[in-house]
Every structure is written in C-alpha cells, then in structure tokens.
Amino acid sequence: MSLATLINELNPQQKQAATTETKHSLVLAGAGCGKTKTIVARAAYLIDQGVPANQIQILTFTRRSASEIVARVELALGDQAKGLRASTFHTFCMYLLRRMPKAFGLEQFTIIDRDDQIMMFRLIRGKDDKNNPNQLPKPKELCDLYSFARNTRQKLSVALEKQHPEHIVFKDQIATMMQEYEARKRTRSFLDYDDILAIVASALEQSEGLVDYVSSICQHMLVDEMQDTNPLQWALLEPLKDKVSLFCVGDDAQSIYGFRGADFENIHHFKERVPDAQIFKLEQNYRSTQEILDLSNWLLDQSEIKYDKHLDAHRGEGVKPKMHIFPNEFDEAKWIAIDIKERHYLAGNAWRDHMVLVRSSFAARHIEAACIQANVPYRFIGGMKLLETAHVKDLLSLLRVIANPLDDIAWMRFLTLWNGVGDVGASRLAQQLLQQADMDGIFEKLEKFARIPAQTLLIMKQMNVLRHEVKESVSLGIQAIETQLAENYKKDWNRRQGDFELVKQLASKHSQLSGFLEEYVLDPVSISEIERQSEDDVVTLITIHSAKGTEQKVCYVANVTAGQYPHARAQGSFDDVEEERRVLYVALTRAQNELILTKQSLNLWARDQVDEQGRKVESYFLNDLTRNLCTMETHHKTRQQTVKSALIERQSINLDFGIDLD
C-alpha cells in the first residue's frame, strides 16, 4: 500500500478532512464512517508533506487503537513513518514526566492504581468511621468521588451533589479524609492516575517554557475519540493550541462516559474554544444497511440536542429491524439463545456472527444462563480488565515489592494473602519492612514473621536476584503464591489460573519489571482485548460500554424496556437522559446486517417531563417507534404450563430493579 492508494480509498468527506491545510480541525465522524481510516490518512499525509514522523503525536484511549494506527501508517509509508508516536493521554504525560521530572517538581515517584487508592481510603476511613458508623461513603465511593472531582475539575461540594447527594451532610469529614489521602501520597511520592494528567496540565498552564518544549517535540496532535475526553484532558490540550496543530476526531452521538467525567461539551463547544477551527463531517456509513441507520438516525432526531448529522448506508438497503416483546426476562433470554441456535444449525451461520448487547454484567445473567441451558457457546465481555482481577493483583503485589521494597500498599496486599494475617498485623509489619536498609533485612523480618512459607521466601530471594528478567520474575512469582491463591479462590481457581498465562504473554514483551508494571497499571489491558484476538467460534455477549469499535452481522439489543432506556435512575435529568439516548444509539449502530431488539411487556407508566429550561426530558425513547422503522412481534406465554406454574411466573419478581453491579 502507498499514500496514493490510501488517499484514493477515501470518500470525498474523508479526503477533505485528511488533506486539510487548516491549523485546527474537528472531524465529526458518525458510527461506522471510517474514523480510524481518516486519522491514519491524516498522519500519512502530514509525513508525506514533509512533517517529520516524530513531530506527530496521536492521542487515543487504548493502547490497542494506538498501535493499530501506527501499524497502518507504517504499512502505507514504510520507513518514512518511523518515529511516529501514538499513545494514551496517560502514557504521553508519563513520557513527559519521565523525560524531565525536575520540570514538574518530581524526583522519584511510584504510580499507584485504583486498588491502591481504595486501600488508602480504607485505612483513612477506618479512623473516621467510629463517629458515624456505616454513614460515610465506602472507600470505593470515596475513590470514585475524588477522581470525578479531579477529572471534571469541580469543587468537592459540586461533585458530591452530583454523585452522592445523600452524603452532602458529611462534606467536611469527606474533605478531611481527602486531604489526608493527598498528604499520604506526597510523603510516599505516590502519583495516582489523575495526578499524572493534572501535574502536566497545571505545569503547561503555568510555564510558557514547557509549552515551547512540548511544541518543539510535536507540531501536530491528532486526538481520537474526542467525545470521551474530560475537562482535565482538555486542560492538557488548551495551553498547546497556539503552538501545536490540533486534529480532533470524534462522534458527539457516541459520548457515553459522563459517569467517568467525560465532557460532551469538548466536542459541542469546540468551535467556541478554538475559533479558527474548521469542522468536517463524515456521514457515509460502511457498516450497516440503511434500515438500521434509519432507526438510529430517528433516535437522534427525537433529541432536542442538534447532532446535525444523518448517516447514509454505503451498502444500501437491507432488512428492517425487528422488535420482539416477551412476558418476562426469562422468556426473553430463552428466545435469544434459541434464535441464535436455530440460525447456527438451520441456516449454517457461524456462532461468531452473533452479538448480544446488554446494559451491564448484572443485566447479562439471564442470557448467560439461557445460553448455558441451550448449549450455545459464548464469551462475556464486560468492563473487567485482566490486571484488575483480584488474583492477578495479588501476583502484581509481589512483583511490586520486589521492584520497589518501599511500596507499603503492595506490602499490605501481599501480606494479607496469607492465612491468619489481617489488616492490623500486615500494616504493623509493613511499617517495619519499610525501615529496613536492604532486602536482606526485609527477608530476615519476613522469616521471623513465620506466616509466609519457607518455599515462598526462597523463591522471593531468587526473584530479587533476577529482578531485571521480567518473564522469569513473573513465572517465579506465580510459583511463589500459587498454592495459597488456589486456597483463597477455590470456588473458581481453574478459570482464574488460565489468566496467568496471559500475564506471562504480556510480560514477555518487556525488558524491565518496573516498565512492565508501570505500563499496565497506567492502561490495564482487558481480558477481552487478548481473547478477541483468538479465533474461537462463539457468540459475543457484551456490555454496551465495552462495545464501542465492535460490530457484528446480527446484533440483539436486549431489554429495551421502559425504565431501561433511559434508565430509571436518569429520569428527570436532561443531560443524563440524553447520555442514555447515546448509549442506545451506540448499541443500535453495532449491527451490520440485522438488528433485533427485545423487550418485556411491563406496564410501567411513564410520562415525559420538561426541565427548568423548557427542554423535554423523555421517559422512554421507543414510545413513538413506528412500524415503518421497525416491525413488532409479541410472544405470549406458552399454553402447556400448569395453572400452578403460570401463577408462579405471573408473580415472579423482575430482579432488574435491584442493584446494578457492573
């Protein structure tokens, strides 16, 4: 492939964006409209125009999309593309922090992840909980609240009002706990995820010299998934816009991470923030047929927000979407599993051609049960990251104390793995270990402690000698704690054990243990990312928030019932309801050939509201769905039931009104 081929493959809208001469651009790319292709073409075009490859920085949200973009540019340009950088926001900021720590007032520092933060809040909250037992937010809630306030750059009181209004009366106590958390980070030279971005953003805001330095190493910034950026990420870009060219690509209709702090306005107000920017639109869709897009376009057209884009199918006409209505969630799940099974055995469709989209792992449980019952092979892709699973975190805690013996959070996790060791004992011993002059002193203390098996300590000593051999360290680490982990996780140890092979695969790509730990703490790779590469012929059951960038021939969007779209907890809030609309839009636009919606015939009474600004707040998106957009079929209860079982079914509780555990 050459640049000419790459450019010739673009449609007129893509080509205009990729070859623009304007300094700043925003490309509004509809679902399936070749967004990545346009970024790849833009990077290749700039290099061909004489911009050195190492002067281009591509910012993405996952390591996977970063490496895919670079690989595609290299395929088109060969050696000319050497030096092109693509990374996540966090990795880019880490590159700057590691390159010149003194410019940021840092010398030595250790990156801590979310589990470490929760552990710190657990220890801090433990002291404060005596006065108000069970009334303060839980450690996880404190961690989420802190991160939300940082990423949205809001005051604690505003973040509390949005996230946990029920805890507003404890604002002063919560503020004290957060101050202590920040003090502990400072004394231990810990940086959490948000610090990595905030330190760089703050330094760029204050230092003209730093802005000059960053613009000297990157003339062009290409930002992918602009709709998912939050105010903190925008604060990184804004100081650079006078010296660096911004080429931002995203879809305002796919902004679905507001709960994490993503700011829909970063796209919607882009023109106000960067007045000389040119706006491009990509509306030619290459994924779906027109009938699927008609329904998706209709959903956006119902909104009071002007998305101002209308997707056209390059592939032309196809099959009209279909809605199936069931008496309850059990019948709904059973029908989905049986329908997929019939398509496989009667029509010869591969299992992998089917994808089922759900709101959360909680919402997937009936469908998982139905697939198991019907012998339909499937894999579930949710939000869980491989290096965030408990057993892998246990292994990482051991690797971390070998890499940095002063990491007291890692010591806490490692020590509490062993039988008979609680938080108090572990905390006391961890403090003693931190005072030792070297590893010999640490091993001596651990031997006296007598809770850790001699064999484990022997392996740890080997690991200490081989600390620079990453793959060997990981293999030894697994050996050291495997017996204890098998006991700790005896319910599902066989399944968990397989994950360690994936960790070894990841480790083999690194030459330094600290580099391996840092990279995966910053951007945990999801189990699905590794599993997606496998060619297994299975049905994909996936949460919508994990589904961006995916597509499949036949897609089932389950439980599009009143109270679910928008979700009951969003009712009454215009912004929350509109984000819910975009969640449904993402689900609908995954389908290539067939889109099948399923819902339950619950008689929930729902009425649209109007907010203070006179905007309509919808209570159910599909109330006005017409038959020219989607055919309907109602499935009634089967007649063969006994009177007794029919009564039981009629009274069955719809568990979807419980807690969403995703």
Side-chain angles (χ1 to χ4, degrees):
M1 189 197 276
S2 65
L3 176 70
T5 318
L6 197 63
I7 298 292
N8 288 339
E9 282 178 358
L10 302 178
N11 66 36
Q13 286 183 324
Q14 293 168 334
K15 187 173 181 179
Q16 192 190 6
T19 60
T20 181
E21 296 303 319
T22 52
K23 184 178 178 186
H24 299 308
S25 314
L26 173 66
V27 182
L28 292 172
C33 291
K35 165 180 73 71
T36 307
K37 194 177 193 178
T38 307
I39 293 181
V40 168
R42 176 65 177 167
Y45 176 77
L46 288 171
I47 294 167
D48 189 68
Q49 293 295 297
V51 177
N54 63 4
Q55 285 283 334
I56 299 170
Q57 171 68 52
I58 299 165
L59 291 171
T60 67
F61 274 80
T62 64
R63 185 190 303 102
R64 185 163 161 244
S65 54
S67 56
E68 183 196 339
I69 290 168
V70 171
R72 283 168 67 172
V73 177
E74 285 177 348
L75 195 63
L77 298 184
D79 287 347
Q80 231 186 321
K82 288 280 176 280
L84 176 65
R85 285 194 307 269
S87 56
T88 64
F89 278 88
H90 283 93
T91 310
F92 172 65
C93 288
M94 276 304 303
Y95 167 76
L96 296 175
L97 291 176
R98 286 285 178 216
R99 196 155 175 174
M100 37 183 192
K102 287 179 181 160
F104 300 97
L106 297 167
E107 290 298 328
Q108 272 304 104
F109 58 89
T110 300
I111 304 297
I112 59 171
D113 70 4
R114 193 164 175 281
D115 261 19
D116 301 330
Q117 290 179 275
I118 292 171
M119 176 71 83
M120 283 174 78
F121 277 118
R122 200 166 111 199
L123 296 168
I124 293 163
R125 182 183 178 277
K127 299 190 317 190
D128 287 52
D129 209 24
K130 298 182 186 82
N131 306 330
N132 302 292
N134 302 321
Q135 292 183 0
L136 292 170
K138 302 279 182 286
K140 177 187 174 298
E141 292 171 335
L142 286 168
C143 183
D144 290 346
L145 177 66
Y146 179 80
S147 189
F148 184 81
R150 298 284 302 278
N151 282 289
T152 55
R153 306 190 103 197
Q154 290 174 334
K155 291 179 180 171
L156 174 60
S157 52
V158 178
L160 252 177
E161 193 61 60
K162 281 188 183 167
Q163 298 264 301
H164 294 288
E166 72 281 12
H167 292 310
I168 203 94
V169 289
F170 299 112
K171 184 199 159 276
D172 292 344
Q173 256 179 291
I174 292 167
T176 304
M177 287 192 281
M178 289 184 175
Q179 275 171 338
E180 185 168 345
Y181 167 72
E182 292 185 334
R184 287 190 183 200
K185 280 195 299 179
R186 274 194 298 275
T187 57
R188 291 163 175 74
S189 297
F190 285 160
L191 297 187
D192 61 32
Y193 291 164
D194 306 320
D195 293 325
I196 294 164
L197 301 188
I199 287 169
V200 176
S202 159
L204 284 169
E205 208 172 359
Q206 291 163 22
S207 164
E208 194 61 40
L210 188 61
V211 170
D212 288 341
Y213 172 74
V214 174
S215 59
S216 76
I217 59 167
C218 79
Q219 297 168 26
H220 292 264
M221 276 194 166
L222 280 55
V223 185
D224 191 12
E225 304 285 13
M226 186 66 186
Q227 77 282 351
D228 295 336
T229 54
N230 59 42
L232 181 52
Q233 285 158 332
W234 175 249
L236 284 166
L237 300 175
E238 193 165 35
L240 298 169
K241 69 178 194 282
D242 293 336
K243 303 269 176 80
V244 173
S245 285
L246 296 177
F247 184 85
C248 302
V249 184
D251 183 1
D252 47 352
Q254 293 189 69
S255 177
I256 61 171
Y257 296 109
F259 64 93
R260 288 188 201 156
D263 187 5
F264 178 67
E265 304 301 347
N266 281 354
I267 273 197
H268 254 223
H269 289 173
F270 191 84
K271 191 80 172 113
E272 293 160 37
R273 295 173 180 183
V274 190
D276 57 341
Q278 191 167 350
I279 311 288
F280 299 95
K281 279 188 210 169
L282 307 185
E283 296 173 297
Q284 180 98 82
N285 173 288
Y286 293 87
R287 177 184 298 152
S288 312
T289 58
Q290 192 59 52
E291 283 80 357
I292 292 166
L293 297 182
D294 286 343
L295 179 56
S296 311
N297 288 332
W298 169 85
L299 179 68
L300 292 189
D301 290 343
Q302 303 306 297
S303 171
E304 296 212 3
I305 293 174
K306 291 288 164 264
Y307 290 98
D308 198 22
K309 79 165 78 68
H310 199 275
L311 301 189
D312 285 310
H314 181 73
R315 296 175 54 205
E317 302 295 314
V319 182
K320 195 183 287 189
K322 196 161 191 181
M323 168 87 81
H324 292 267
I325 303 162
F326 299 90
N328 56 53
E329 67 269 40
F330 302 103
D331 287 5
E332 176 188 34
K334 186 176 174 185
W335 180 86
I336 290 171
I338 299 298
D339 192 60
I340 293 171
K341 195 171 184 177
E342 285 177 355
R343 286 164 180 270
H344 177 72
Y345 287 113
L346 302 179
N349 296 346
W351 294 116
R352 72 167 75 87
D353 292 346
H354 307 86
M355 181 153 81
V356 185
L357 294 121
V358 291
R359 286 302 299 259
S360 62
S361 48
F362 175 78
R365 71 200 192 293
H366 295 308
I367 298 165
E368 286 199 80
C371 286
I372 291 164
Q373 182 91 42
N375 280 326
V376 171
Y378 75 94
R379 61 172 169 208
F380 175 67
I381 297 175
M384 181 49 88
K385 305 282 192 183
L386 171 64
L387 276 77
E388 288 171 358
T389 51
H391 53 296
V392 176
K393 301 283 295 186
D394 296 338
L395 169 63
L396 291 184
S397 71
L398 170 53
L399 295 171
R400 281 171 53 177
V401 298
I402 296 296
N404 174 14
L406 297 175
D407 189 338
D408 59 345
I409 298 173
W411 276 120
M412 278 290 289
R413 182 165 196 129
F414 174 70
L415 294 171
T416 50
L417 286 181
W418 306 95
N419 296 336
V421 185
D423 282 359
V424 176
S427 181
R428 197 178 296 131
L429 178 60
Q431 294 318 307
Q432 292 171 20
L433 297 176
L434 296 191
Q435 288 157 20
Q436 300 308 305
D438 54 24
M439 285 303 281
D440 291 341
I442 286 173
F443 286 127
E444 209 174 298
K445 283 274 180 205
L446 291 173
E447 278 159 7
K448 279 186 189 159
F449 184 58
R451 287 271 201 275
I452 299 169
Q455 181 62 21
T456 297
L457 290 174
L458 196 64
I459 296 172
M460 285 173 71
K461 286 176 183 175
Q462 278 178 275
M463 289 172 73
N464 189 45
V465 173
L466 295 170
R467 63 201 303 173
H468 298 300
E469 310 290 327
V470 185
K471 202 173 175 188
E472 287 75 1
S473 295
V474 171
S475 298
L476 286 168
I478 295 165
Q479 275 178 45
I481 57 174
E482 209 161 16
T483 309
Q484 184 65 49
L485 293 190
E487 188 183 322
N488 295 356
Y489 301 107
K490 51 179 169 280
K491 276 187 186 167
D492 57 354
W493 175 239
N494 286 346
R495 181 181 62 76
R496 289 175 183 264
Q497 221 175 350
D499 290 343
F500 289 131
E501 284 308 312
L502 300 179
V503 178
K504 282 188 204 169
Q505 270 180 47
L506 295 175
S508 64
K509 297 172 188 165
H510 287 265
S511 56
Q512 289 233 312
L513 185 55
S514 56
F516 165 68
L517 291 168
E518 195 166 277
E519 182 172 347
Y520 291 106
V521 163
L522 276 182
D523 181 15
V525 63
S526 62
I527 297 173
S528 60
E529 246 174 76
I530 300 170
E531 287 183 347
R532 249 181 228 171
Q533 295 160 10
S534 68
E535 284 304 305
D536 293 345
D537 186 16
V538 294
V539 174
T540 298
L541 178 55
I542 191 167
T543 62
I544 299 170
H545 281 92
S546 302
K548 289 212 351 216
T550 63
E551 54 186 40
Q552 204 43 267
K553 289 176 184 165
V554 182
C555 283
Y556 299 78
V557 184
N559 198 8
V560 292
T561 309
Q564 291 294 322
Y565 292 96
H567 198 279
R569 65 171 168 256
Q571 295 288 3
S573 162
F574 179 81
D575 291 338
D576 291 353
V577 164
E578 286 305 315
E579 177 150 322
E580 289 282 298
R581 184 191 304 279
R582 298 191 291 268
V583 169
L584 182 54
Y585 175 79
V586 167
L588 301 181
T589 52
R590 301 307 96 200
Q592 294 172 315
N593 301 342
E594 276 188 79
L595 174 62
I596 298 158
L597 309 174
T598 65
K599 63 178 275 198
Q600 296 146 37
S601 53
L602 300 171
N603 294 321
L604 287 183
W605 184 72
R607 192 178 66 190
D608 294 346
Q609 300 174 19
V610 175
D611 72 358
E612 317 82 68
Q613 285 148 276
R615 300 173 298 186
K616 186 173 85 168
V617 183
E618 276 190 68
S619 60
Y620 181 46
F621 298 133
L622 303 180
N623 264 340
D624 302 319
L625 190 58
T626 57
R627 285 187 178 273
N628 67 327
L629 287 169
C630 185
T631 58
M632 313 268 181
E633 185 180 334
T634 302
H635 299 253
H636 299 286
K637 277 202 184 68
T638 45
R639 291 279 172 213
Q640 308 91 294
Q641 292 171 325
T642 65
V643 174
K644 188 176 177 187
S645 75
L647 280 172
I648 290 168
E649 276 218 31
R650 254 205 311 280
Q651 294 166 358
S652 70
I653 298 166
N654 177 3
L655 293 173
D656 280 341
F657 291 108
I659 294 170
D660 187 336
L661 295 172
D662 189 24

